[in-house]
Amino acid sequence: MAKNKGVRLVITLECTECRSNSAKRSPGVSRYTTEKNRRNTTERLEIKKFCPHCNKSTNHKEIK
């Protein structure tokens, strides 16, 4: 039997400050994975999380 495509979707969150400061030769980009409900949250997710490269809490946006 094949599984139905669920409502929950695995997404990747990426630091917005590390991504914009790529010209400064940062050591990397902070990324987190999480799940979201496709029916309840249709727009892109943005959460404030800790970035170890910036060493502070920054906004993390959903990427493809």
Side-chain angles (χ1 to χ4, degrees):
M1 279 193 195
K3 280 189 170 181
N4 291 345
K5 199 170 191 180
V7 177
R8 292 233 157 243
L9 183 64
V10 176
I11 59 166
T12 305
L13 301 171
E14 188 177 76
C15 178
T16 55
E17 290 190 24
C18 288
R19 185 173 49 181
S20 64
N21 294 337
S22 61
K24 292 185 180 178
R25 297 290 219 165
S26 65
V29 177
S30 172
R31 288 192 174 159
Y32 288 95
T33 57
T34 186
E35 288 184 348
K36 78 170 186 178
N37 191 325
R38 207 181 295 195
R39 290 187 188 143
N40 295 341
T41 325
T42 54
E43 65 277 351
R44 291 203 173 217
L45 202 58
E46 186 172 339
I47 301 176
K48 194 167 190 177
K49 295 186 82 57
F50 180 77
C51 176
H53 303 291
C54 299
N55 202 23
K56 61 182 178 180
S57 292
T58 59
N59 283 334
H60 285 64
K61 284 188 178 179
E62 178 183 342
I63 61 172
K64 202 165 190 180

